[in-house]
Coordinates of all heavy atoms in Angstrom, one line a residue:
M1 N -31.6 -25.9 10.0 CA -30.7 -24.8 10.0 C -30.9 -23.9 11.1 O -32.1 -23.6 11.5 CB -30.8 -24.0 8.7 CG -30.4 -24.8 7.5 SD -28.6 -25.0 7.4 CE -28.4 -25.3 5.7
H2 N -29.8 -23.3 11.7 CA -29.9 -22.3 12.7 C -29.2 -21.0 12.3 O -28.2 -21.1 11.6 CB -29.3 -22.8 14.0 CG -30.2 -23.8 14.7 ND1 -30.2 -25.1 14.4 CD2 -31.1 -23.7 15.7 CE1 -31.1 -25.8 15.1 NE2 -31.7 -24.9 15.9
Y3 N -29.7 -20.0 12.7 CA -29.2 -18.6 12.3 C -29.0 -17.9 13.6 O -29.7 -18.1 14.6 CB -30.2 -17.9 11.4 CG -30.4 -18.6 10.1 CD1 -31.4 -19.7 10.1 CD2 -29.7 -18.3 9.0 CE1 -31.6 -20.4 8.9 CE2 -30.0 -19.0 7.8 CZ -30.9 -20.1 7.8 OH -31.1 -20.7 6.6
T4 N -28.0 -16.9 13.5 CA -27.8 -16.1 14.7 C -27.5 -14.7 14.3 O -27.0 -14.4 13.2 CB -26.6 -16.7 15.5 OG1 -26.4 -15.9 16.7 CG2 -25.3 -16.8 14.7
K5 N -27.7 -13.8 15.2 CA -27.3 -12.4 15.1 C -27.2 -11.9 16.6 O -27.6 -12.6 17.5 CB -28.3 -11.6 14.3 CG -29.6 -11.4 14.8 CD -30.5 -10.6 13.9 CE -30.2 -9.2 13.9 NZ -31.2 -8.4 13.2
V6 N -26.7 -10.7 16.7 CA -26.5 -10.1 18.0 C -27.5 -8.9 18.2 O -27.7 -8.1 17.3 CB -25.1 -9.6 18.2 CG1 -24.9 -8.9 19.5 CG2 -24.1 -10.7 18.0
N7 N -28.2 -8.9 19.3 CA -29.0 -7.7 19.6 C -28.0 -6.7 20.2 O -27.6 -6.7 21.4 CB -30.0 -8.1 20.7 CG -30.9 -6.9 21.1 OD1 -30.5 -5.7 20.8 ND2 -32.0 -7.1 21.8
R8 N -27.6 -5.8 19.3 CA -26.5 -4.9 19.7 C -27.0 -3.9 20.7 O -26.1 -3.2 21.4 CB -25.9 -4.2 18.4 CG -25.2 -5.2 17.6 CD -24.9 -4.7 16.2 NE -24.2 -3.4 16.2 CZ -22.9 -3.2 16.3 NH1 -22.1 -4.2 16.5 NH2 -22.4 -2.0 16.3
E9 N -28.2 -3.7 20.9 CA -28.8 -2.8 21.9 C -28.4 -3.2 23.3 O -28.3 -2.4 24.2 CB -30.3 -2.7 21.8 CG -30.8 -2.2 20.5 CD -30.5 -0.7 20.3 OE1 -30.8 0.1 21.3 OE2 -30.0 -0.3 19.3
I10 N -28.3 -4.6 23.5 CA -28.1 -5.1 24.9 C -26.8 -5.7 25.0 O -26.4 -6.2 26.1 CB -29.3 -6.0 25.3 CG1 -29.4 -7.2 24.5 CG2 -30.6 -5.2 25.4 CD1 -30.4 -8.2 25.0
C11 N -26.0 -5.8 24.0 CA -24.6 -6.3 24.1 C -23.8 -5.3 25.0 O -23.8 -4.1 24.8 CB -24.0 -6.4 22.7 SG -22.2 -6.7 22.7
I12 N -23.0 -5.9 26.0 CA -22.2 -5.0 26.9 C -20.8 -5.1 26.5 O -19.9 -4.7 27.4 CB -22.5 -5.4 28.3 CG1 -22.2 -6.9 28.6 CG2 -23.9 -5.1 28.8 CD1 -22.0 -7.3 30.1
A13 N -20.4 -5.6 25.4 CA -19.0 -5.6 24.9 C -18.1 -6.4 25.8 O -17.0 -6.0 26.0 CB -18.5 -4.1 24.7
C14 N -18.6 -7.5 26.3 CA -17.7 -8.3 27.2 C -16.7 -9.1 26.4 O -15.7 -9.6 26.9 CB -18.5 -9.2 28.0 SG -19.2 -10.7 27.2
G15 N -16.9 -9.4 25.1 CA -16.0 -10.1 24.3 C -16.0 -11.6 24.3 O -15.3 -12.3 23.6
L16 N -16.9 -12.1 25.1 CA -16.9 -13.6 25.3 C -17.3 -14.3 24.0 O -16.6 -15.3 23.7 CB -18.0 -13.9 26.4 CG -17.5 -14.2 27.8 CD1 -18.7 -14.6 28.6 CD2 -16.5 -15.3 27.8
C17 N -18.3 -13.9 23.3 CA -18.7 -14.6 22.1 C -17.6 -14.7 21.1 O -17.5 -15.7 20.4 CB -20.0 -14.0 21.6 SG -19.9 -12.3 21.1
Q18 N -16.8 -13.6 21.0 CA -15.8 -13.7 20.0 C -14.7 -14.6 20.4 O -14.1 -15.3 19.6 CB -15.2 -12.2 19.8 CG -14.4 -12.1 18.5 CD -13.0 -12.4 18.7 OE1 -12.4 -12.4 19.8 NE2 -12.3 -12.8 17.6
L19 N -14.4 -14.7 21.7 CA -13.4 -15.7 22.2 C -13.9 -17.1 22.0 O -13.1 -18.0 21.6 CB -13.2 -15.4 23.7 CG -12.3 -14.3 24.1 CD1 -12.2 -14.2 25.6 CD2 -10.9 -14.6 23.6
I20 N -15.1 -17.3 22.2 CA -15.7 -18.7 22.2 C -15.9 -19.1 20.7 O -15.7 -20.3 20.4 CB -17.0 -18.8 23.0 CG1 -16.7 -18.6 24.5 CG2 -17.7 -20.1 22.8 CD1 -17.9 -18.3 25.3
A21 N -16.4 -18.2 19.9 CA -16.8 -18.6 18.6 C -16.4 -17.6 17.6 O -17.1 -16.8 17.0 CB -18.3 -18.8 18.5
P22 N -15.0 -17.5 17.4 CA -14.5 -16.4 16.5 C -14.9 -16.5 15.0 O -14.9 -15.5 14.3 CB -13.0 -16.6 16.7 CG -12.8 -18.0 17.2 CD -14.0 -18.3 18.0
S23 N -15.3 -17.7 14.6 CA -15.8 -17.8 13.2 C -17.2 -17.2 13.0 O -17.6 -16.9 11.9 CB -15.8 -19.2 12.7 OG -16.8 -20.0 13.3
L24 N -17.9 -17.0 14.2 CA -19.2 -16.5 14.1 C -19.3 -15.0 14.5 O -20.1 -14.2 13.9 CB -20.2 -17.3 15.0 CG -20.4 -18.7 14.6 CD1 -21.2 -19.5 15.7 CD2 -21.2 -18.8 13.3
Y25 N -18.6 -14.6 15.5 CA -18.7 -13.3 16.1 C -17.4 -12.5 16.1 O -16.4 -13.0 16.3 CB -19.2 -13.4 17.6 CG -20.5 -14.2 17.7 CD1 -20.4 -15.5 18.2 CD2 -21.7 -13.7 17.3 CE1 -21.6 -16.3 18.2 CE2 -22.9 -14.5 17.3 CZ -22.8 -15.8 17.8 OH -23.9 -16.5 17.9
E26 N -17.6 -11.2 15.8 CA -16.5 -10.3 15.9 C -17.1 -9.0 16.6 O -18.3 -9.0 16.8 CB -16.1 -9.9 14.4 CG -14.9 -9.1 14.3 CD -13.7 -9.5 15.1 OE1 -13.6 -9.1 16.2 OE2 -12.9 -10.3 14.5
Y27 N -16.2 -8.1 17.0 CA -16.7 -6.9 17.6 C -16.1 -5.7 17.0 O -15.1 -5.7 16.4 CB -16.5 -6.9 19.1 CG -15.1 -7.3 19.6 CD1 -14.1 -6.3 19.6 CD2 -14.9 -8.6 20.0 CE1 -12.9 -6.7 20.1 CE2 -13.6 -8.9 20.4 CZ -12.6 -8.0 20.4 OH -11.3 -8.3 20.9
D28 N -16.9 -4.6 17.0 CA -16.5 -3.4 16.4 C -15.6 -2.6 17.3 O -15.2 -3.0 18.4 CB -17.7 -2.6 15.9 CG -18.6 -2.1 17.1 OD1 -18.1 -2.0 18.2 OD2 -19.7 -1.7 16.9
K29 N -15.2 -1.4 16.9 CA -14.3 -0.6 17.7 C -14.8 -0.2 19.1 O -13.9 0.1 19.9 CB -13.9 0.7 16.9 CG -15.0 1.7 16.6 CD -14.5 2.9 15.9 CE -15.5 3.8 15.4 NZ -16.8 4.0 16.3
D30 N -16.0 -0.3 19.3 CA -16.6 -0.1 20.6 C -16.8 -1.4 21.4 O -17.3 -1.3 22.5 CB -17.9 0.6 20.5 CG -17.8 2.0 19.9 OD1 -16.8 2.7 20.2 OD2 -18.7 2.4 19.0
G31 N -16.4 -2.5 20.8 CA -16.5 -3.8 21.5 C -17.9 -4.4 21.3 O -18.1 -5.5 21.9
I32 N -18.8 -3.8 20.6 CA -20.1 -4.4 20.4 C -20.1 -5.4 19.3 O -19.5 -5.2 18.2 CB -21.1 -3.3 20.0 CG1 -21.1 -2.1 21.1 CG2 -22.5 -3.9 19.9 CD1 -21.5 -2.5 22.5
A33 N -20.6 -6.6 19.7 CA -20.5 -7.8 18.8 C -21.5 -7.7 17.6 O -22.5 -7.1 17.7 CB -20.7 -9.0 19.6
Y34 N -21.0 -8.5 16.6 CA -21.9 -8.7 15.4 C -21.5 -10.0 14.8 O -20.4 -10.5 15.1 CB -21.8 -7.5 14.4 CG -20.4 -7.3 13.8 CD1 -20.0 -7.9 12.7 CD2 -19.5 -6.5 14.5 CE1 -18.7 -7.8 12.1 CE2 -18.2 -6.3 14.0 CZ -17.8 -7.0 12.8 OH -16.6 -6.8 12.3
T35 N -22.4 -10.5 13.9 CA -22.0 -11.8 13.3 C -21.1 -11.5 12.1 O -21.4 -10.6 11.3 CB -23.3 -12.5 12.8 OG1 -24.1 -11.7 12.0 CG2 -24.0 -13.1 14.0
V36 N -20.0 -12.2 12.0 CA -19.0 -12.0 11.0 C -19.5 -12.2 9.6 O -19.3 -11.4 8.7 CB -17.8 -12.9 11.2 CG1 -16.7 -12.7 10.2 CG2 -17.3 -12.7 12.6
K37 N -20.2 -13.3 9.4 CA -20.4 -13.8 8.0 C -21.5 -13.0 7.3 O -21.5 -12.9 6.0 CB -20.8 -15.2 8.0 CG -19.7 -16.2 8.4 CD -20.2 -17.6 8.3 CE -19.5 -18.4 9.3 NZ -20.1 -19.8 9.3
D38 N -22.4 -12.4 8.0 CA -23.5 -11.7 7.3 C -23.7 -10.3 7.9 O -24.8 -9.7 7.8 CB -24.8 -12.5 7.4 CG -25.1 -12.9 8.9 OD1 -24.6 -12.2 9.8 OD2 -25.8 -13.9 9.1
Q39 N -22.6 -9.7 8.5 CA -22.7 -8.4 9.0 C -23.9 -8.1 9.9 O -24.6 -7.1 9.8 CB -22.7 -7.4 7.8 CG -21.5 -7.5 7.0 CD -20.2 -7.2 7.8 OE1 -20.1 -6.2 8.5 NE2 -19.2 -8.1 7.7
N40 N -24.2 -9.1 10.7 CA -25.2 -9.1 11.7 C -26.7 -9.1 11.1 O -27.6 -8.7 11.8 CB -25.1 -7.9 12.7 CG -25.6 -8.3 14.1 OD1 -25.4 -9.4 14.6 ND2 -26.4 -7.4 14.6
K41 N -26.8 -9.6 9.9 CA -28.1 -9.7 9.3 C -28.8 -11.0 9.8 O -30.0 -11.1 9.8 CB -28.0 -9.7 7.8 CG -27.7 -8.3 7.2 CD -27.8 -8.3 5.7 CE -27.6 -6.9 5.1 NZ -26.2 -6.5 5.2
G42 N -28.0 -12.0 10.2 CA -28.6 -13.2 10.6 C -29.2 -14.1 9.5 O -30.2 -14.8 9.6
T43 N -28.5 -14.0 8.3 CA -29.0 -14.6 7.1 C -28.2 -15.8 6.7 O -28.6 -16.6 5.9 CB -29.1 -13.7 5.9 OG1 -27.8 -13.1 5.8 CG2 -30.1 -12.6 6.2
M44 N -27.0 -16.0 7.3 CA -26.1 -17.1 6.9 C -26.3 -18.2 8.0 O -26.1 -18.0 9.2 CB -24.7 -16.6 6.9 CG -24.3 -15.7 5.8 SD -24.2 -16.6 4.2 CE -22.6 -17.4 4.5
P45 N -26.6 -19.4 7.5 CA -26.8 -20.5 8.5 C -25.5 -20.9 9.2 O -24.4 -20.8 8.7 CB -27.2 -21.7 7.6 CG -26.9 -21.4 6.2 CD -26.8 -19.9 6.1
I46 N -25.7 -21.3 10.5 CA -24.5 -21.7 11.3 C -24.1 -23.1 10.7 O -25.0 -24.0 10.6 CB -24.9 -21.9 12.8 CG1 -25.3 -20.5 13.3 CG2 -23.8 -22.5 13.6 CD1 -26.1 -20.6 14.6
Q47 N -22.8 -23.3 10.5 CA -22.4 -24.6 10.0 C -22.4 -25.6 11.1 O -22.2 -25.3 12.3 CB -20.9 -24.4 9.4 CG -20.8 -23.4 8.3 CD -21.7 -23.8 7.1 OE1 -21.6 -24.9 6.5 NE2 -22.6 -22.9 6.7
E48 N -22.5 -26.9 10.7 CA -22.6 -27.9 11.7 C -21.4 -27.9 12.6 O -21.5 -28.1 13.8 CB -22.7 -29.3 11.0 CG -23.2 -30.4 11.9 CD -23.8 -31.5 11.1 OE1 -24.3 -31.3 10.0 OE2 -23.7 -32.6 11.6
Q49 N -20.2 -27.7 12.0 CA -19.0 -27.8 12.8 C -18.9 -26.5 13.8 O -18.0 -26.5 14.7 CB -17.7 -27.9 12.0 CG -17.4 -26.7 11.1 CD -18.1 -26.8 9.7 OE1 -19.1 -27.5 9.6 NE2 -17.6 -26.1 8.7
E50 N -19.7 -25.5 13.6 CA -19.7 -24.3 14.4 C -20.8 -24.4 15.5 O -20.8 -23.6 16.4 CB -20.0 -23.1 13.6 CG -19.0 -22.8 12.5 CD -19.5 -21.7 11.6 OE1 -20.7 -21.6 11.3 OE2 -18.6 -20.9 11.2
F51 N -21.6 -25.4 15.5 CA -22.8 -25.4 16.3 C -22.4 -25.5 17.8 O -23.1 -24.9 18.6 CB -23.8 -26.5 15.9 CG -25.2 -26.2 16.4 CD1 -25.9 -25.1 15.9 CD2 -25.7 -26.9 17.4 CE1 -27.1 -24.7 16.4 CE2 -27.0 -26.6 17.9 CZ -27.7 -25.5 17.3
E52 N -21.4 -26.3 18.1 CA -21.1 -26.4 19.6 C -20.6 -25.1 20.1 O -20.9 -24.7 21.2 CB -20.0 -27.6 19.8 CG -20.6 -29.0 19.7 CD -21.8 -29.2 20.7 OE1 -21.6 -28.8 21.9 OE2 -22.8 -29.7 20.3
S53 N -19.7 -24.5 19.4 CA -19.2 -23.2 19.8 C -20.3 -22.1 19.8 O -20.4 -21.3 20.7 CB -18.0 -22.7 19.0 OG -18.3 -22.6 17.7
F54 N -21.2 -22.2 18.9 CA -22.4 -21.3 18.9 C -23.2 -21.5 20.2 O -23.5 -20.5 20.9 CB -23.3 -21.6 17.7 CG -24.7 -21.0 17.9 CD1 -24.9 -19.6 18.0 CD2 -25.8 -21.9 18.2 CE1 -26.2 -19.1 18.2 CE2 -27.0 -21.3 18.5 CZ -27.2 -20.0 18.5
K55 N -23.5 -22.8 20.5 CA -24.3 -23.0 21.8 C -23.6 -22.5 23.0 O -24.2 -21.9 23.9 CB -24.5 -24.5 21.9 CG -25.7 -25.0 21.1 CD -26.2 -26.3 21.6 CE -25.2 -27.4 21.6 NZ -25.8 -28.8 21.8
K56 N -22.2 -22.7 23.0 CA -21.5 -22.2 24.2 C -21.5 -20.7 24.3 O -21.7 -20.1 25.3 CB -20.0 -22.7 24.1 CG -19.3 -22.6 25.4 CD -18.0 -23.4 25.3 CE -17.1 -23.1 26.5 NZ -15.7 -23.3 26.3
A57 N -21.4 -20.0 23.2 CA -21.4 -18.6 23.1 C -22.8 -18.1 23.5 O -23.0 -17.2 24.4 CB -21.1 -18.0 21.8
Y58 N -23.8 -18.8 23.0 CA -25.2 -18.4 23.2 C -25.6 -18.5 24.7 O -26.2 -17.6 25.3 CB -26.1 -19.3 22.4 CG -27.6 -19.2 22.6 CD1 -28.3 -18.1 21.9 CD2 -28.3 -20.0 23.4 CE1 -29.6 -18.0 22.0 CE2 -29.7 -19.9 23.5 CZ -30.3 -18.9 22.8 OH -31.7 -18.7 23.0
T59 N -25.1 -19.6 25.3 CA -25.4 -19.8 26.8 C -24.5 -19.0 27.7 O -24.8 -18.7 28.8 CB -25.3 -21.3 27.2 OG1 -24.1 -21.8 26.8 CG2 -26.4 -22.1 26.5
S60 N -23.4 -18.5 27.1 CA -22.4 -17.7 28.0 C -22.7 -16.2 27.9 O -22.2 -15.5 28.8 CB -21.0 -18.0 27.5 OG -20.6 -19.3 27.5
C61 N -23.3 -15.8 27.0 CA -23.6 -14.3 26.8 C -24.3 -13.8 28.1 O -25.4 -14.3 28.4 CB -24.4 -14.0 25.6 SG -24.8 -12.2 25.5
P62 N -23.7 -12.9 28.8 CA -24.3 -12.5 30.1 C -25.6 -11.7 30.0 O -26.3 -11.6 31.0 CB -23.2 -11.6 30.7 CG -22.4 -11.1 29.6 CD -22.4 -12.2 28.6
T63 N -25.9 -11.2 28.8 CA -27.1 -10.3 28.7 C -28.1 -11.0 27.8 O -29.2 -10.3 27.5 CB -26.7 -8.9 28.1 OG1 -26.2 -9.1 26.8 CG2 -25.7 -8.2 29.0
G64 N -27.9 -12.1 27.2 CA -28.8 -12.7 26.3 C -28.9 -12.0 25.0 O -29.9 -12.0 24.3
A65 N -27.8 -11.3 24.6 CA -27.8 -10.5 23.4 C -27.7 -11.4 22.1 O -27.9 -10.9 21.0 CB -26.6 -9.5 23.4
I66 N -27.2 -12.6 22.3 CA -27.1 -13.5 21.1 C -28.4 -14.1 20.8 O -29.0 -14.8 21.7 CB -26.0 -14.6 21.4 CG1 -24.6 -13.9 21.5 CG2 -26.0 -15.6 20.2 CD1 -23.5 -14.8 21.8
L67 N -28.9 -13.9 19.6 CA -30.2 -14.4 19.2 C -30.0 -15.6 18.4 O -29.0 -15.8 17.6 CB -30.9 -13.3 18.4 CG -31.0 -11.9 19.1 CD1 -31.7 -10.9 18.2 CD2 -31.7 -12.0 20.4
R68 N -31.0 -16.5 18.4 CA -31.0 -17.6 17.5 C -32.4 -17.8 16.9 O -33.4 -17.4 17.5 CB -30.6 -18.9 18.3 CG -31.5 -19.3 19.3 CD -31.0 -20.5 20.1 NE -31.2 -21.7 19.3 CZ -30.9 -23.0 19.8 NH1 -30.4 -23.1 21.0 NH2 -31.0 -24.0 19.1
S69 N -32.4 -18.4 15.7 CA -33.6 -18.7 15.0 C -33.4 -19.9 14.1 O -32.3 -20.2 13.7 CB -34.0 -17.5 14.2 OG -35.1 -17.7 13.4
T70 N -34.5 -20.5 13.8 CA -34.4 -21.6 12.8 C -34.7 -21.1 11.4 O -34.8 -21.9 10.4 CB -35.3 -22.8 13.1 OG1 -36.6 -22.2 13.3 CG2 -34.9 -23.5 14.4
A71 N -35.0 -19.8 11.3 CA -35.2 -19.2 10.0 C -34.3 -18.0 9.8 O -33.9 -17.4 10.8 CB -36.7 -18.8 9.8
P72 N -33.9 -17.6 8.6 CA -33.1 -16.4 8.4 C -33.8 -15.2 9.1 O -35.0 -15.0 8.9 CB -33.0 -16.3 6.9 CG -33.3 -17.6 6.4 CD -34.2 -18.2 7.3
F73 N -33.0 -14.4 9.7 CA -33.6 -13.2 10.4 C -34.2 -12.2 9.5 O -35.1 -11.5 9.9 CB -32.6 -12.6 11.3 CG -32.4 -13.3 12.7 CD1 -31.5 -14.3 12.8 CD2 -33.2 -12.9 13.7 CE1 -31.3 -14.9 14.0 CE2 -33.1 -13.6 15.0 CZ -32.1 -14.6 15.1
E74 N -33.8 -12.2 8.3 CA -34.4 -11.2 7.4 C -35.9 -11.4 7.2 O -36.6 -10.5 6.9 CB -33.7 -11.2 6.0 CG -33.8 -12.4 5.3 CD -33.1 -12.4 3.9 OE1 -32.7 -11.3 3.5 OE2 -33.0 -13.4 3.3
D75 N -36.3 -12.7 7.4 CA -37.7 -13.0 7.3 C -38.5 -12.5 8.5 O -39.7 -12.3 8.4 CB -37.9 -14.5 7.1 CG -37.4 -15.0 5.8 OD1 -37.2 -14.1 4.9 OD2 -37.2 -16.2 5.6
L76 N -37.8 -12.3 9.6 CA -38.5 -12.0 10.8 C -38.3 -10.6 11.3 O -39.2 -10.0 11.9 CB -38.0 -12.9 11.9 CG -38.1 -14.4 11.7 CD1 -37.3 -15.1 12.8 CD2 -39.5 -14.9 11.7
D77 N -37.1 -10.0 10.9 CA -36.7 -8.8 11.6 C -35.7 -8.1 10.6 O -34.6 -8.7 10.4 CB -36.1 -9.1 12.9 CG -35.5 -7.9 13.6 OD1 -35.7 -6.8 13.1 OD2 -34.8 -8.1 14.6
T78 N -36.0 -7.0 10.1 CA -35.1 -6.4 9.1 C -34.0 -5.5 9.8 O -33.2 -5.0 9.2 CB -35.9 -5.6 8.1 OG1 -36.7 -4.7 8.8 CG2 -36.7 -6.5 7.2
Q79 N -34.1 -5.3 11.1 CA -33.2 -4.5 11.8 C -31.8 -5.2 12.0 O -31.8 -6.4 12.1 CB -33.7 -4.1 13.2 CG -34.9 -3.2 13.1 CD -35.4 -2.8 14.5 OE1 -34.9 -3.3 15.5 NE2 -36.5 -2.1 14.5
S80 N -30.8 -4.5 12.0 CA -29.5 -5.1 12.1 C -28.8 -4.7 13.4 O -29.2 -3.9 14.2 CB -28.5 -4.8 11.0 OG -28.3 -3.4 10.9
Ligands
LIG101 S1 -21.1 -12.4 24.8 FE1 -23.0 -11.2 24.6 S2 -22.5 -9.3 25.7 FE2 -20.6 -10.3 25.4 S3 -19.8 -9.4 23.5 FE3 -21.0 -11.2 22.9 S4 -23.0 -10.5 22.5 FE4 -22.0 -8.9 23.6

């Protein structure tokens, strides 16, 4: 299983991740991205059919703000 969330501190609101993987990422009124399914907690696993778009978004993010983990983020980091 893979999990993702956005490091909102370094997101520059470019919108790419939402264009590439709209089922995973959305952005708020300031354009800062977050994960849709778990409100940026990083606790919902990426579905198999989403994984290619996840990888594309992950590698396309200009600032490395998209985080990935093989464990739910709540176990590692309680910040959102
Ligand atoms: S691709 Fe990266 S910088 Fe751009 S909106 Fe998504 S998380 Fe933010």
Side-chain angles (χ1 to χ4, degrees):
M1 292 288 201
H2 287 83
Y3 300 82
T4 182
K5 66 183 283 189
V6 176
N7 179 346
R8 292 168 51 84
E9 299 288 314
I10 61 172
C11 170
I12 57 165
C14 76
L16 260 183
C17 57
Q18 197 274 336
L19 279 175
I20 294 168
S23 72
L24 293 172
Y25 306 103
E26 187 50 273
Y27 47 84
D28 67 16
K29 62 178 172 35
D30 297 320
I32 304 299
Y34 60 92
T35 53
V36 180
K37 292 182 209 177
D38 53 22
Q39 300 300 311
N40 211 45
K41 289 190 174 68
T43 53
M44 288 284 285
I46 298 166
Q47 301 300 302
E48 197 158 333
Q49 67 271 21
E50 295 169 326
F51 201 68
E52 283 305 312
S53 57
F54 161 71
K55 275 200 301 192
K56 197 169 170 202
Y58 178 79
T59 54
S60 300
C61 176
T63 63
I66 294 178
L67 307 178
R68 64 183 285 183
S69 173
T70 53
F73 277 91
E74 62 180 351
D75 291 345
L76 303 171
D77 174 8
T78 54
Q79 292 179 1
S80 61

